[in-house]
Amino acid sequence: MTGEFFRFSDGDATMNTQRNATLTVDGKNIDLPVYSGSIGPEVIDIRQLYAKTGMFTFDPGFMSTAACKSAITYIDGDAGVLLYRGYPIEQLAQNCDFLEVAFLILKGELPNAREKEEFDTIIKRHTMVHEQLIRFYSGFRRDAHPMAVLVGVVGALSAFYHDAMDISDEYHRTVSAHRLIAKLPNIVAMAYKYGRGEPFMYPRNDLSYTANFMRMMFGNPCEDYVPNPVLVRALDRILILHADHEQNASTSTVRLAGSSGANPFACISAGIACLWGPAHGGANEACLQMLEEIGDVSRVGEYIKRAKDKNDSFKLMGFGHRVYKNFDPRAKLMRETCHEVLNELGLHDDRLFKLAVALEKIALEDEYFVSKKLYPNVDFYSGIVQRALGIPTQLFTGIFALARTVGWIAQWNEMISDPEQKIGRPRQLFTGAEQRNVPPLDKR
Ligand code: CMC
């Protein structure tokens, strides 16, 4: 193989407004088509690479691989831009509620007033879960992690909705999407209630999506729960900011699971399992635990030092992002919401918030974090907001899953509707033993 193996050069503009990239392998030129999207980097189509060279590409962690084409979410990590269907996250967070954003992500356009009312009504009419599903909860220990419960219960929905399980039928897919979006708040709230030994609360359809969720979480049958609009708005914003994030690990998991034809409930359950990890959705929980562990501003230096130490596995949770290398626009909005919520609750002197602000300031001035472009991500502040709202740390990732269900189901639907869709099947660079014979037991 020559040193020119990865030298691409642009070819002439060819058919269908495509250009070619020329890859030179062992002195032989191979032309590969280049496609442009509406915005963002172009891609080189390597689907013929194996046929033409007998080689695969090697890209663990998908650092340079576009695994699909998608029209849902666009991120420019260098500019700190996040667009859902073309609309900047800042405008959506300020002007829309979560269900409007869900409609946008699913259907491609913002709803008008009539469509909004219709969609709100459809979702409300699906909020209850089958009474038999309730029994699943008692199979879990009371101290089970809510994400363990969510993986199980959401997967179990597959056993309840045989009437809409034909994934090739667009109507069935739509019904499943509505069911998932409507039931997730109920399922998450039940996981919380179960852990506390409190009665489950049935949904109340005169409330908004988020107010209803808060009532199912914090209300009880003995007295009325009156949602505070500032806190409802804050949680709604958390949901908007987490609703989709293009081809992240859990979304790719949902797509991969779905590529085999698996049902949407099983796919979303797979997404929840992936989201649980501390490098992904589990970061908000891990971030709050980290702040508790640091405990005091005087110890920030010690932890920054640990985060920089190559021999220490400790990382500053809530810092860094695979795509955002300038700032995470969601973090900016979350910081703002954090102030609003702490003001509303009279918690301006909240110990962890002060600690978070100090940690952020020190890290942003530190050469290590600056040079590696490590900035606070959305989870740095979302944990503090959620804690102030009364949500227990263990449930943070569950709230993330509730919000991301919208993105997952939209991405799953986009994949299923794509006529070019194929089962996901990555290849590998094999580094194990070559073929050998099994020796008899006494010779091993
Ligand atoms: N603290 C200290 N060092 C870090 C951190 C951190 N939080 N994040 C990355 N680094 C270092 C890392 O050790 C590596 O150093 P070196 O070049 O010397 O090997 C360098 O920065 C590049 O990091 P990486 O891990 O190769 O970057 P990545 O793009 O693979 O990982 C990440 C991104 C989010 C997994 C990582 O930054 C991280 O683990 N952050 C903490 C967890 C976290 O907050 N995750 C939430 C992400 S946002 C929510 C979501 O979308 O799920």
Side-chain angles (χ1 to χ4, degrees):
M1 189 177 304
T2 70
E4 293 171 334
F5 175 54
F6 277 117
R7 198 203 69 197
F8 298 104
S9 65
D10 292 341
D12 296 325
T14 50
M15 48 170 194
N16 304 335
T17 69
Q18 293 164 17
R19 294 184 293 131
N20 280 338
T22 307
L23 173 66
T24 307
V25 183
D26 296 334
K28 192 176 151 204
N29 285 345
I30 291 126
D31 285 336
L32 299 166
V34 173
Y35 304 130
S36 354
S38 42
I39 33 174
E42 293 172 310
V43 299
I44 300 167
D45 180 348
I46 55 162
R47 283 176 289 185
Q48 287 299 311
L49 190 69
Y50 180 66
K52 288 182 174 173
T53 66
M55 286 178 188
F56 299 133
T57 53
F58 184 60
D59 187 18
F62 303 111
M63 307 289 286
S64 293
T65 296
C68 62
K69 56 180 190 296
S70 177
I72 302 174
T73 293
Y74 174 74
I75 303 174
D76 182 336
D78 294 323
V81 168
L82 168 61
L83 311 175
Y84 293 161
R85 301 281 190 185
Y87 293 109
I89 190 68
E90 293 83 358
Q91 291 182 27
L92 293 170
Q94 265 142 25
N95 301 311
C96 301
D97 68 22
F98 177 65
L99 280 192
E100 285 173 77
V101 172
F103 184 101
L104 170 72
I105 289 175
L106 288 171
K107 303 186 192 279
E109 294 297 337
L110 281 166
N112 60 29
R114 184 187 50 78
E115 289 167 331
K116 175 174 164 48
E117 202 188 317
E118 270 173 22
F119 187 63
D120 284 3
T121 306
I122 289 171
I123 295 299
K124 280 176 184 172
R125 294 283 149 78
H126 278 296
T127 47
M128 285 202 293
V129 295
H130 195 291
E131 281 292 298
Q132 225 162 323
L133 190 82
I134 296 170
R135 298 208 203 136
F136 274 74
Y137 285 81
S138 49
F140 288 97
R141 283 171 52 142
R142 293 267 175 199
D143 62 356
H145 194 288
M147 289 300 275
V149 176
L150 293 187
V151 168
V153 173
V154 172
L157 291 174
S158 325
F160 286 83
Y161 298 111
H162 302 137
D163 60 333
M165 217 54 120
D166 179 0
I167 61 164
S168 65
D169 183 325
E170 194 182 349
Y171 176 73
H172 283 205
R173 294 202 301 274
T174 306
V175 172
S176 296
H178 293 161
R179 280 178 172 152
L180 275 157
I181 292 166
K183 292 180 201 313
L184 250 289
N186 200 347
I187 289 170
V188 172
M190 283 162 77
Y192 171 68
K193 288 295 197 193
Y194 180 73
R196 292 172 65 87
E198 291 180 8
F200 296 144
M201 297 289 286
Y202 283 98
R204 246 187 48 194
N205 289 352
D206 57 325
L207 295 174
S208 73
Y209 185 84
T210 304
N212 194 13
F213 171 59
M214 288 178 84
R215 183 182 160 276
M216 288 190 287
M217 285 278 294
F218 303 124
N220 66 62
C222 308
E223 54 191 63
D224 227 19
Y225 173 82
V226 183
N228 172 329
V230 175
L231 306 188
V232 170
R233 183 71 199 132
L235 187 54
D236 204 68
R237 183 175 269 196
I238 291 182
L239 301 184
I240 292 172
L241 299 185
H242 286 85
D244 195 45
H245 215 224
E246 55 122 297
Q247 308 310 319
N248 56 83
S250 56
T251 301
S252 301
T253 300
V254 169
R255 278 185 177 260
L256 196 55
S259 75
S260 71
N263 74 70
F265 305 106
C267 296
I268 301 302
S269 170
I272 295 172
C274 177
L275 186 73
W276 191 357
H280 192 5
N284 47 19
E285 180 178 345
C287 178
L288 211 78
Q289 279 161 356
M290 176 192 75
L291 292 174
E292 293 280 10
E293 192 187 315
I294 298 175
D296 190 77
V297 177
S298 62
R299 299 183 63 202
V300 166
E302 180 193 325
Y303 279 83
I304 297 256
K305 201 167 154 207
R306 281 190 61 194
K308 298 190 312 192
D309 183 354
K310 275 241 159 279
N311 302 314
D312 192 329
S313 60
F314 175 77
K315 278 189 175 180
L316 271 196
M317 285 295 137
F319 266 77
H321 200 274
R322 168 61 60 82
V323 181
Y324 295 118
K325 300 296 178 193
N326 186 343
F327 69 94
D328 179 344
R330 303 168 303 168
K332 241 177 155 177
L333 291 158
M334 213 60 255
R335 197 177 200 268
E336 206 179 280
T337 300
C338 196
H339 278 288
E340 282 164 20
V341 167
L342 297 178
N343 276 341
E344 175 69 15
L345 297 172
L347 295 172
H348 335 74
D349 288 329
D350 178 75
R351 184 178 56 90
L352 290 193
F353 180 61
K354 283 187 156 175
L355 182 56
V357 172
L359 181 64
E360 183 190 32
K361 185 169 184 307
I362 296 171
L364 287 178
E365 287 166 1
D366 190 288
E367 170 54 22
Y368 173 92
F369 290 89
V370 174
S371 64
K372 292 188 186 300
K373 301 191 171 179
L374 299 170
Y375 297 90
N377 57 51
V378 64
D379 288 329
F380 190 66
Y381 283 106
S382 76
I384 297 171
V385 176
Q386 293 192 56
R387 195 179 71 123
L389 296 178
I391 296 164
T393 314
Q394 274 208 333
L395 204 68
F396 290 177
T397 319
I399 307 284
F400 191 160
L402 191 176
R404 187 55 61 84
T405 293
V406 167
W408 288 331
I409 197 77
Q411 301 264 356
W412 171 83
N413 185 53
E414 186 179 63
M415 175 195 65
I416 301 289
S417 331
D418 183 349
E420 284 184 18
Q421 187 263 328
K422 285 192 182 325
I423 186 169
R425 179 53 171 94
R427 306 306 292 253
Q428 63 174 8
L429 175 66
F430 182 68
T431 57
E434 290 178 23
Q435 183 168 332
R436 50 189 171 158
N437 296 322
V438 176
L441 195 53
D442 60 350
K443 297 262 166 51
R444 290 179 211 163

